[in-house]
Amino acid sequence: MFPKLLTSIGAASFGVCSSLEKVNILHTNAKYLGDYAFQNCTSLREMKVPDSLQKFGANVFYECSNLVPSDINTLDNKAVVAYLRSIQ
């Protein structure tokens, strides 16, 4: 559980957490995801993000193939977040 006061997730915070399946930061004030924050989280299949999230580092969702459909480039952070918001 993330605190409501959370405003960012730092670089490589969850990178290569291959067992991570779900992340819910919807109830937080997160505005920024750092470089490689979730890179190679190969089991990540669900993520809820707040509207406050607007800035992204590099390769935040790279190789998160279970999180987004194959027609969305996981290097395009804005496209990934737009998709995640559309399914919430």
Side-chain angles (χ1 to χ4, degrees):
M1 188 77 157
F2 294 96
K4 182 176 181 163
L5 297 175
L6 179 81
T7 58
S8 67
I9 294 180
S13 293
F14 298 95
V16 196
C17 289
S18 59
S19 297
L20 184 64
E21 294 181 5
K22 296 180 183 181
V23 173
N24 185 346
I25 58 172
L26 190 59
H27 65 282
T28 72
N29 292 313
K31 295 177 172 103
Y32 177 73
L33 298 179
D35 296 347
Y36 312 102
F38 296 97
Q39 179 186 18
N40 287 312
C41 290
T42 54
S43 295
L44 186 60
R45 56 183 168 73
E46 182 179 318
M47 185 164 183
K48 297 183 185 237
V49 295
D51 290 337
S52 60
L53 187 59
Q54 300 298 323
K55 294 177 130 186
F56 312 96
N59 301 315
V60 173
F61 301 106
Y62 183 65
E63 295 294 324
C64 293
S65 56
N66 285 315
L67 184 61
V68 294
S70 60
D71 62 332
I72 296 175
N73 181 351
T74 59
L75 290 174
D76 185 347
N77 298 324
K78 289 182 181 185
V80 172
V81 170
Y83 168 74
L84 295 174
R85 285 184 178 139
S86 75
I87 61 169
Q88 294 188 89

